[in-house]
Amino acid sequence: MSVEDRILAGDRLALARLLTQIENEQPEGFEALSKLFLHTGRAHLLGITGPPGTGKSTLVNRLALALRSRTKEMVAIVAVDPSSPFTGGAILGDRIRMRDLSGDPGVFIRSMASRGALGGLARTTSAVVEALDAGGFGWILIETVGAGQAEVEIARTAHTTLVIEAPGLGDDVQAIKAGILEAADLLVVNKADLPGADKTVCALEASLELASGPHQASGHPGQLGQPDQGWQPPVLQTAALLGEGVDEVIDAILRHRAYLETTGGRTGRDRERLRAEVLALLGDGLLERFLGARKDVDLGLELEQVFARQVSPRQAVQSLLSRDR
Amino acid sequence: MAKKLRILIAKPGLDGHDRGAKVIARALRDAGMEVIYTGLRQTPEMIAEAALQEDVDAIGLSILSGAHMALVPRVLELLKAQGQAGLPVLLGGIIPDEDIPALRQLGVSAIFGPGTTTDTVVAAFTQAVRHDAS
């Protein structure tokens, strides 16, 4: 039986080994994935991001338990933690908070190191998610590296993006800066049993009112929104350790999923994600081809000129590209 | 992308602290490995499940409680049952000398007691994985 057939039949060891090959960018892994790609597109991809220490892993644990009991679909979790930029090593500790999920054959958890990527995910996270999608998981929860303000790659990858915040992390100006909050389909203030949670909720709600721009520009509250006027991200509160507020988050996730399906937003997001993936691979491929054709010699010359401050990096690239014709 | 070694560090049983396991996890990380750490009080079933899902190259078990003669065979048995019979398993903690031959006989690749340097442990993981691959 081929690897693809074993994975489609639910063989978890075959799936785990394929994920390793994909992470290591081995050709045989990508070959199997290309065949599995025909079986993807069914899973709902749920992104979970937010600053370190806000309780992402603990909430993911609760969400996965609730999704298993409420929707009966299989749940996969991809948890990304940072690689050391100095040694390339990593400590992947998200499973510590996910022990409640062990023993359930309908759950599959995979830890990934970011391996130098800076957007909050690893380079191969999309491909790993595709393999899990083909493996029949109806929900795929993608937990990013603890992310601050600009790691918004998850919004391109997921259908529904949850941004997790916690009380006491910053003032209301932090909440109106550009970046991660704009990526949110749902905002969750976790650790809501701690003092200051109300203030964090208020700051987030106020920032949404200020920043909701295109989808709310002319609409006053009494008017029923047109579907294309967009989705208003709700601000929810949870205490994930205690299991409080989790059902409300699941309700909102299911509402967002239904919203995407009725408005065609799901197709739009899928297309955007796949387009970005194709462009990224094209970029890698072109660079590889360019460097391969040149055997590094000319590039070395251009680089020397840059090192000597005779030409700027931008000029060097222009001359490399024009000589290529 | 060069293949990274993926190591599961796990604490089966009822130990009260995991300082040693964390020191080992940190040392392996500093040696460029990806370490999946699962925290205290894992059952053998949880450890085998994590080893499968994470497709690790080796497992390091840390046991201080004295329950190693019950826990280690169970982990090895579960690994075998799920098709990971040859996966290197290394053991550290408080292991009396008289138990070492029996554990080695069961297939434990290396056993470390108190006072072992982290360099020794890193080298043993590297060697166990290389031995497994050949």
Side-chain angles (χ1 to χ4, degrees), chain B residues 13 16 22 24 29 31 33 42 45 48 54 58 60 73-74 81 84-85 97 104 110 115-117 121 124 127 133:
Chain B
K22 284 177 180 154
I24 298 302
R29 186 204 79 173
M33 302 181 194
Q42 298 278 302
E45 286 76 10
E54 302 288 357
R74 182 71 185 138
Q84 291 185 298
D97 288 345
R104 295 295 307 243
T116 310
T117 66
V121 175
Q127 199 198 338

Side-chain angles (χ1 to χ4, degrees), chain A residues 20 92 95 99 111 115, chain B residues 34-35 40-41 53-55:
Chain A
T20 305
L92 312 175
R95 292 186 83 101
R99 47 188 303 142
S111 312
R115 299 196 181 178
Chain B
E34 293 181 355
V35 183
L40 284 165
R41 290 186 280 282
Q53 293 177 359
E54 302 288 357
D55 188 30

Side-chain angles (χ1 to χ4, degrees), chain B residues 5-106:
Chain B
L5 289 190
R6 288 169 65 84
I7 309 290
L8 175 65
I9 295 294
K11 284 199 65 70
L14 298 175
D15 291 346
H17 76 79
D18 59 350
R19 172 142 181 91
K22 284 177 180 154
V23 169
I24 298 302
R26 173 71 194 259
L28 296 174
R29 186 204 79 173
D30 289 345
M33 302 181 194
E34 293 181 355
V35 183
I36 293 112
Y37 182 56
T38 51
L40 284 165
R41 290 186 280 282
Q42 298 278 302
T43 64
E45 286 76 10
M46 291 160 104
I47 292 166
E49 186 182 38
L52 183 140
Q53 293 177 359
E54 302 288 357
D55 188 30
V56 291
D57 298 294
I59 303 179
L61 298 174
S62 159
I63 307 177
L64 309 170
S65 63
H68 47 274
M69 293 311 285
L71 293 167
V72 174
R74 182 71 185 138
V75 171
L76 294 169
E77 203 174 286
L78 291 165
L79 290 174
K80 192 172 169 194
Q82 68 191 22
Q84 291 185 298
L87 190 65
V89 174
L90 294 83
L91 176 63
I94 311 291
I95 313 295
D97 288 345
E98 59 264 35
D99 291 340
I100 290 177
L103 290 164
R104 295 295 307 243
Q105 185 70 34
L106 282 169

